[in-house]
Amino acid sequence: MQSDLQKSIKNLQIKQIKHDLNAHRDLYHALLPKKITHYTLHFAKYQGQLLEALKSDSKDDFRKVVVDSAIIIIASSNAMNIDLEEVLPNKRPPGQFEDIKDAIQGYIIAVSKMAKACEVLDHLEPYPSREILEDKICDLFFCVDFMASCSEVDLVQDIEGRWRLIEENNFAYNHIFKKEIK
């Protein structure tokens, strides 16, 4: 059975493109290796934040990092031209999650493999970076979707709220681009 996130993923991917054009033009126009490395660094940061939120039992901090992770999963998918609506039904979650700790462990493993795929790009080493990155982005999707369902996070609603907050705090968007977009 599909989650609300999975049912809404095509629409969210389209809205993410608009958001990135509005609030992240610098990264939107960057080359793919830079983008995917940037997103992988976000995931690396988030894995520590997930553990801190779990340790401190902060539901608000946990919610924020789960939502931010979902946004970066969508942005990563867009950067790599991955249609999640098409790809996800053919993928399996990375193991059986019994609880949030299992999902965080899956998240950490996926991020470590993404980091390896990004690192070898710098050296042009023979490595299936594209395949690994796509597979691990899907693994992260399942991990985050599971964490959200366990902690009653409405990812679809919260993602859109987070985009609005980011755009409201973006000087260029508010003073220059907002007029162009309307």
Side-chain angles (χ1 to χ4, degrees), residues 111-146:
V111 173
S112 72
K113 292 182 179 183
M114 289 179 74
K116 170 66 176 175
C118 290
E119 181 213 0
V120 300
L121 292 174
D122 287 340
H123 304 290
L124 294 176
E125 295 172 7
Y127 192 78
S129 291
R130 165 79 196 187
E131 295 80 4
I132 298 287
L133 289 166
E134 181 174 324
D135 189 55
K136 297 307 139 195
I137 288 169
C138 292
D139 285 357
L140 288 171
F141 178 94
F142 291 118
C143 293
V144 167
D145 201 24
F146 180 84

Side-chain angles (χ1 to χ4, degrees), residues 40-56 61-62 65 69 104 107-108 111:
T40 301
L41 289 170
H42 270 284
F43 292 131
K45 173 180 67 175
Y46 297 154
Q47 62 192 7
Q49 291 174 352
L50 284 168
L51 292 173
E52 286 176 338
L54 195 64
K55 185 176 180 182
S56 69
D61 290 349
F62 191 81
V65 72
S69 292
I104 292 174
Y107 187 109
I108 292 168
V111 173

Side-chain angles (χ1 to χ4, degrees), residues 67-131:
V67 171
D68 286 351
S69 292
I71 288 171
I72 299 301
I73 290 164
I74 296 167
S76 299
S77 300
N78 286 348
M80 292 188 61
N81 199 32
I82 301 168
D83 182 345
L84 288 173
E85 183 180 64
E86 183 180 308
V87 171
L88 287 171
N90 301 317
K91 298 284 185 180
R92 294 160 94 74
Q96 203 60 20
F97 303 135
E98 298 294 325
D99 57 24
I100 287 177
K101 289 180 182 178
D102 287 344
I104 292 174
Q105 185 178 36
Y107 187 109
I108 292 168
I109 291 167
V111 173
S112 72
K113 292 182 179 183
M114 289 179 74
K116 170 66 176 175
C118 290
E119 181 213 0
V120 300
L121 292 174
D122 287 340
H123 304 290
L124 294 176
E125 295 172 7
Y127 192 78
S129 291
R130 165 79 196 187
E131 295 80 4

Side-chain angles (χ1 to χ4, degrees), residues 1-15:
M1 185 169 136
Q2 287 187 331
S3 67
D4 289 343
L5 179 63
Q6 198 165 350
K7 290 176 189 171
S8 303
I9 199 65
K10 177 78 81 185
N11 187 38
L12 290 170
Q13 281 191 263
I14 292 165
K15 287 181 177 181

